[in-house]
Short mmCIF file of all heavy atoms in Angstrom, two decimals:
data_model
loop_
_atom_site.label_atom_id
_atom_site.label_comp_id
_atom_site.label_asym_id
_atom_site.label_seq_id
_atom_site.Cartn_x
_atom_site.Cartn_y
_atom_site.Cartn_z
N VAL A 171 25.40 -15.42 -45.97
CA VAL A 171 24.84 -15.08 -44.66
C VAL A 171 24.65 -13.58 -44.54
O VAL A 171 25.56 -12.79 -44.84
CB VAL A 171 25.75 -15.58 -43.52
CG1 VAL A 171 25.16 -15.20 -42.16
CG2 VAL A 171 25.95 -17.08 -43.62
N LEU A 172 23.46 -13.17 -44.10
CA LEU A 172 23.15 -11.76 -43.87
C LEU A 172 22.80 -11.59 -42.39
O LEU A 172 21.66 -11.84 -41.98
CB LEU A 172 21.98 -11.31 -44.75
CG LEU A 172 21.51 -9.86 -44.58
CD1 LEU A 172 22.62 -8.90 -44.99
CD2 LEU A 172 20.25 -9.60 -45.42
N PRO A 173 23.77 -11.18 -41.55
CA PRO A 173 23.45 -10.95 -40.13
C PRO A 173 22.47 -9.79 -39.99
O PRO A 173 22.62 -8.75 -40.65
CB PRO A 173 24.82 -10.61 -39.53
CG PRO A 173 25.83 -11.11 -40.52
CD PRO A 173 25.18 -10.96 -41.86
N LEU A 174 21.47 -9.94 -39.12
CA LEU A 174 20.42 -8.94 -38.98
C LEU A 174 20.51 -8.16 -37.67
O LEU A 174 20.51 -6.94 -37.67
CB LEU A 174 19.05 -9.61 -39.10
CG LEU A 174 18.81 -10.37 -40.42
CD1 LEU A 174 17.46 -11.05 -40.39
CD2 LEU A 174 18.92 -9.42 -41.61
N TYR A 175 20.55 -8.86 -36.55
CA TYR A 175 20.67 -8.16 -35.27
C TYR A 175 21.05 -9.16 -34.18
O TYR A 175 20.98 -10.37 -34.37
CB TYR A 175 19.38 -7.45 -34.89
CG TYR A 175 18.17 -8.34 -34.71
CD1 TYR A 175 17.88 -8.91 -33.47
CD2 TYR A 175 17.32 -8.60 -35.77
CE1 TYR A 175 16.78 -9.73 -33.29
CE2 TYR A 175 16.21 -9.42 -35.60
CZ TYR A 175 15.94 -9.96 -34.36
OH TYR A 175 14.85 -10.77 -34.20
N LYS A 176 21.45 -8.64 -33.03
CA LYS A 176 21.87 -9.46 -31.90
C LYS A 176 20.71 -9.69 -30.94
O LYS A 176 19.89 -8.80 -30.72
CB LYS A 176 23.04 -8.81 -31.18
CG LYS A 176 24.30 -8.68 -32.04
CD LYS A 176 25.42 -7.96 -31.30
CE LYS A 176 26.65 -7.85 -32.18
NZ LYS A 176 27.76 -7.14 -31.49
N ASP A 177 20.68 -10.88 -30.37
CA ASP A 177 19.61 -11.28 -29.45
C ASP A 177 20.27 -11.81 -28.17
O ASP A 177 20.84 -12.91 -28.19
CB ASP A 177 18.74 -12.36 -30.11
CG ASP A 177 17.51 -12.70 -29.31
OD1 ASP A 177 16.98 -11.81 -28.61
OD2 ASP A 177 17.04 -13.85 -29.39
N LYS A 178 20.25 -11.03 -27.11
CA LYS A 178 20.94 -11.41 -25.88
C LYS A 178 20.17 -12.50 -25.12
O LYS A 178 18.97 -12.69 -25.33
CB LYS A 178 21.12 -10.18 -24.98
CG LYS A 178 22.03 -9.11 -25.57
CD LYS A 178 22.26 -7.96 -24.61
CE LYS A 178 23.11 -6.88 -25.22
NZ LYS A 178 24.45 -7.38 -25.60
N PHE A 179 20.89 -13.17 -24.22
CA PHE A 179 20.27 -14.19 -23.38
C PHE A 179 19.96 -13.62 -22.00
O PHE A 179 20.74 -12.84 -21.44
CB PHE A 179 21.21 -15.40 -23.23
CG PHE A 179 21.30 -16.23 -24.47
CD1 PHE A 179 22.41 -16.15 -25.30
CD2 PHE A 179 20.27 -17.09 -24.82
CE1 PHE A 179 22.48 -16.91 -26.45
CE2 PHE A 179 20.35 -17.85 -25.97
CZ PHE A 179 21.45 -17.76 -26.79
N TRP A 180 18.80 -14.03 -21.45
CA TRP A 180 18.38 -13.67 -20.11
C TRP A 180 18.25 -14.94 -19.28
O TRP A 180 17.93 -16.01 -19.81
CB TRP A 180 17.03 -12.95 -20.14
CG TRP A 180 17.08 -11.56 -20.72
CD1 TRP A 180 17.75 -11.15 -21.83
CD2 TRP A 180 16.40 -10.42 -20.21
NE1 TRP A 180 17.52 -9.82 -22.07
CE2 TRP A 180 16.69 -9.34 -21.09
CE3 TRP A 180 15.55 -10.19 -19.14
CZ2 TRP A 180 16.18 -8.07 -20.89
CZ3 TRP A 180 15.03 -8.91 -18.94
CH2 TRP A 180 15.36 -7.86 -19.80
N LEU A 181 18.49 -14.80 -17.98
CA LEU A 181 18.31 -15.92 -17.06
C LEU A 181 16.88 -15.89 -16.52
O LEU A 181 16.37 -14.84 -16.10
CB LEU A 181 19.30 -15.85 -15.90
CG LEU A 181 19.27 -17.02 -14.93
CD1 LEU A 181 19.72 -18.31 -15.62
CD2 LEU A 181 20.16 -16.74 -13.71
N VAL A 182 16.24 -17.05 -16.53
CA VAL A 182 14.85 -17.18 -16.07
C VAL A 182 14.78 -18.21 -14.95
O VAL A 182 15.37 -19.29 -15.05
CB VAL A 182 13.93 -17.59 -17.23
CG1 VAL A 182 12.51 -17.84 -16.73
CG2 VAL A 182 13.93 -16.52 -18.31
N GLY A 183 14.08 -17.87 -13.89
CA GLY A 183 13.87 -18.79 -12.78
C GLY A 183 12.60 -18.45 -12.04
O GLY A 183 11.90 -17.48 -12.37
N ARG A 184 12.28 -19.23 -11.04
CA ARG A 184 11.10 -18.94 -10.22
C ARG A 184 11.32 -17.65 -9.43
O ARG A 184 12.46 -17.25 -9.17
CB ARG A 184 10.81 -20.09 -9.27
CG ARG A 184 10.53 -21.41 -10.01
CD ARG A 184 10.27 -22.54 -9.06
NE ARG A 184 8.90 -22.51 -8.56
CZ ARG A 184 8.39 -23.44 -7.76
NH1 ARG A 184 9.15 -24.44 -7.33
NH2 ARG A 184 7.15 -23.36 -7.36
N GLU A 185 10.22 -17.00 -9.04
CA GLU A 185 10.30 -15.68 -8.42
C GLU A 185 11.18 -15.67 -7.17
O GLU A 185 11.87 -14.69 -6.90
CB GLU A 185 8.90 -15.17 -8.10
CG GLU A 185 8.10 -14.80 -9.34
CD GLU A 185 6.73 -14.26 -9.01
OE1 GLU A 185 6.29 -14.45 -7.84
OE2 GLU A 185 6.09 -13.67 -9.90
N LYS A 186 11.16 -16.73 -6.40
CA LYS A 186 11.94 -16.77 -5.17
C LYS A 186 13.27 -17.51 -5.32
O LYS A 186 13.95 -17.78 -4.33
CB LYS A 186 11.10 -17.42 -4.06
CG LYS A 186 9.85 -16.63 -3.70
CD LYS A 186 9.09 -17.28 -2.56
CE LYS A 186 7.86 -16.46 -2.20
NZ LYS A 186 7.10 -17.07 -1.07
N ASP A 187 13.64 -17.80 -6.53
CA ASP A 187 14.92 -18.48 -6.76
C ASP A 187 16.07 -17.53 -6.44
O ASP A 187 16.13 -16.42 -7.00
CB ASP A 187 15.00 -18.95 -8.22
CG ASP A 187 16.13 -19.95 -8.46
OD1 ASP A 187 17.24 -19.70 -7.95
OD2 ASP A 187 15.90 -20.96 -9.13
N PRO A 188 17.00 -17.91 -5.56
CA PRO A 188 18.11 -17.02 -5.20
C PRO A 188 19.03 -16.67 -6.36
O PRO A 188 19.77 -15.69 -6.29
CB PRO A 188 18.86 -17.82 -4.12
CG PRO A 188 18.46 -19.24 -4.33
CD PRO A 188 17.05 -19.19 -4.83
N ALA A 189 18.99 -17.47 -7.43
CA ALA A 189 19.83 -17.16 -8.60
C ALA A 189 19.35 -15.93 -9.34
O ALA A 189 20.11 -15.26 -10.03
CB ALA A 189 19.87 -18.35 -9.56
N ILE A 190 18.05 -15.59 -9.19
CA ILE A 190 17.46 -14.46 -9.91
C ILE A 190 17.42 -13.26 -8.98
O ILE A 190 16.35 -12.82 -8.51
CB ILE A 190 16.04 -14.80 -10.42
CG1 ILE A 190 16.05 -16.14 -11.12
CG2 ILE A 190 15.55 -13.73 -11.39
CD1 ILE A 190 16.87 -16.20 -12.38
N THR A 191 18.57 -12.71 -8.66
CA THR A 191 18.65 -11.54 -7.79
C THR A 191 19.53 -10.50 -8.46
O THR A 191 20.47 -10.81 -9.19
CB THR A 191 19.26 -11.91 -6.43
OG1 THR A 191 20.54 -12.50 -6.61
CG2 THR A 191 18.35 -12.88 -5.67
N GLY A 192 19.22 -9.24 -8.18
CA GLY A 192 19.98 -8.15 -8.77
C GLY A 192 19.45 -7.77 -10.13
O GLY A 192 18.61 -8.43 -10.72
#
Side-chain angles (χ1 to χ4, degrees):
V171 179
L172 178 64
L174 302 177
Y175 62 89
K176 296 177 180 179
D177 188 31
K178 295 184 182 300
F179 287 103
W180 289 42
L181 184 66
V182 175
R184 300 179 81 177
E185 289 182 345
K186 296 183 179 180
D187 194 316
I190 312 295
T191 57

